[in-house]
Amino acid sequence: MKKIAVVNDLSGLGKCSLTAAIPVISVMGVQACPFPTAVLSNQTGYDTYFCEDFTDHMEPYMEQWKKRDFVPDGIYTGFLSDEKQADKILKLMDTFAGEDTLILTDPVMGDDGEVYSIYTEALRNRFCELVRRSYVITPNLTEALILLYGKEKMEAIWREFQEISGRERLDQIEETGRRLAEEFSLSAVVITGVDYREGEELVKIGNLVLEKEKSSWVFAEKSGGSYSGTGDLFASVLSAGLVKGYSMKKCAHLAVDFISASIRDAVEEGTDRNDGVCFEAHLGRLIQ
């Protein structure tokens, strides 16, 4: 059985990070091997939370994996709290990534034109190093611009993006994806969660899939607002599918179909955005 080392935090409530990744990767027939970065009572979008940082435990954890001769088929890196954790993950890649290990990095740093509270230039620099070692990355548009330009220039370019729409906006985002691939020598880039409207149509959510200079868009109808964990679900489907040999486009379509159905249920049930989406009932969509 294929194995993926999943680097992320464990949040008891909020359906994100490891609690989202493990069931998705498992139902797709791949063993999820969690590498926790922190343990939280609930994800940080809630008013309060308990958090136990795991940074000091990462190297002893790796030492035990080394004793087991662990060789993952994939490494999927999600939320990291600071540059110290990023340094540990760089060491993990040095230690466990073989020539054929597929590395996916989700450079969690911001959204909607703003950086998260964890953001520092040092963390951005480490994410740039992680990205250079990856086969594919899954930033949203904000994170794609941060990787290329840093915080201040991202904010200026983000405002420019808000002034354009339709096909012109998609073209500019495709150009951003190509610059990322060229700058970081990436085989593939997926830019997630792009709002798109054509004329009087309803707003759609688009995901740009760029692999070896070929680009395509995967769209879904936008329903509800922004929910906890949807990016984790998307990256989990992508990492498991790629390890199994699925095409990038097939993985993106699987992820969008799965997440769209989960969001529709969350909207119908009136689920709070912090509680995440109702994905459990739709895991069967991922069995191929």
Side-chain angles (χ1 to χ4, degrees):
M1 180 177 280
K2 302 284 189 181
K3 301 178 180 69
I4 296 175
V6 188
V7 182
N8 221 321
D9 64 82
L10 177 64
S11 293
L13 299 176
K15 294 190 186 181
C16 63
S17 309
L18 287 176
T19 52
I22 292 171
V24 166
I25 292 170
S26 299
V27 81
M28 293 180 70
V30 177
Q31 181 181 343
C33 304
F35 189 97
T37 58
V39 177
L40 295 94
S41 57
N42 45 270
Q43 56 97 350
T44 59
Y46 292 94
D47 292 340
T48 63
Y49 57 90
F50 164 81
C51 178
E52 179 68 27
D53 186 271
F54 211 65
T55 306
D56 291 340
H57 304 296
M58 287 181 173
E59 291 204 35
Y61 200 102
M62 280 189 270
E63 287 301 316
Q64 295 303 315
W65 275 10
K66 284 168 67 176
K67 291 179 182 179
R68 310 280 91 78
D69 296 322
F70 177 56
V71 181
D73 300 281
I75 297 174
Y76 156 33
T77 295
F79 177 84
L80 301 173
S81 62
D82 56 31
E83 63 272 17
K84 292 179 182 178
Q85 286 198 341
D87 285 336
K88 303 292 185 185
I89 306 313
L90 287 165
K91 183 173 182 178
L92 180 143
M93 291 179 180
D94 288 339
T95 304
F96 297 104
E99 188 174 328
D100 298 321
T101 302
L102 191 142
I103 298 175
L104 182 152
T105 296
D106 186 7
V108 181
M109 291 183 283
D111 199 6
D112 288 330
E114 297 181 358
V115 298
Y116 295 142
S117 59
I118 57 159
Y119 179 84
T120 63
E121 280 299 310
L123 180 60
R124 173 187 174 265
N125 291 337
R126 298 304 195 284
F127 262 124
C128 287
E129 292 182 53
L130 290 167
V131 165
R132 291 186 194 280
R133 300 191 188 195
S134 303
Y135 177 84
V136 59
I137 61 172
T138 57
N140 56 42
L141 180 56
T142 299
E143 291 158 346
L145 295 173
I146 290 171
L147 287 170
L148 282 171
Y149 306 115
K151 176 181 179 292
E152 290 186 9
K153 192 170 181 181
M154 173 278 291
E155 292 170 343
I157 295 175
W158 175 267
R159 289 192 292 271
E160 293 174 8
F161 268 106
Q162 307 320 299
E163 300 299 318
I164 56 177
S165 59
R167 186 65 235 186
E168 181 186 358
R169 189 164 188 264
L170 297 187
D171 289 343
Q172 289 295 322
I173 293 170
E174 286 184 30
E175 180 59 29
T176 299
R178 291 191 185 94
R179 288 180 184 173
L180 273 173
E182 181 179 354
E183 174 72 21
F184 295 99
S185 301
L186 289 159
S187 295
V189 174
V190 179
I191 297 180
T192 62
V194 174
D195 282 357
Y196 176 70
R197 185 199 295 267
E198 187 71 49
E200 299 301 315
E201 293 182 359
L202 294 174
V203 176
K204 297 177 181 179
I205 290 289
N207 300 277
L208 170 66
V209 180
L210 181 67
E211 185 175 26
K212 296 173 182 173
E213 299 183 0
K214 293 183 179 180
S215 64
S216 61
W217 285 88
V218 181
F219 291 101
E221 181 181 327
K222 183 174 183 178
S223 59
S226 171
Y227 286 89
S228 167
T230 52
D232 299 319
L233 293 171
F234 191 101
S236 299
V237 174
L238 201 62
S239 62
L242 291 173
V243 160
K244 292 193 72 173
Y246 297 170
S247 71
M248 186 75 67
K249 195 168 183 179
K250 178 178 179 177
C251 292
H253 278 285
L254 264 179
V256 167
D257 173 69
F258 167 60
I259 295 168
S260 296
S262 303
I263 291 174
R264 284 196 297 271
D265 281 3
V267 172
E268 288 178 10
E269 292 188 11
T271 305
D272 185 274
R273 69 158 307 279
N274 285 320
D275 293 339
V277 296
C278 305
F279 70 80
E280 294 86 348
H282 299 286
L283 286 167
R285 294 170 179 262
L286 301 174
I287 300 173
Q288 298 292 298

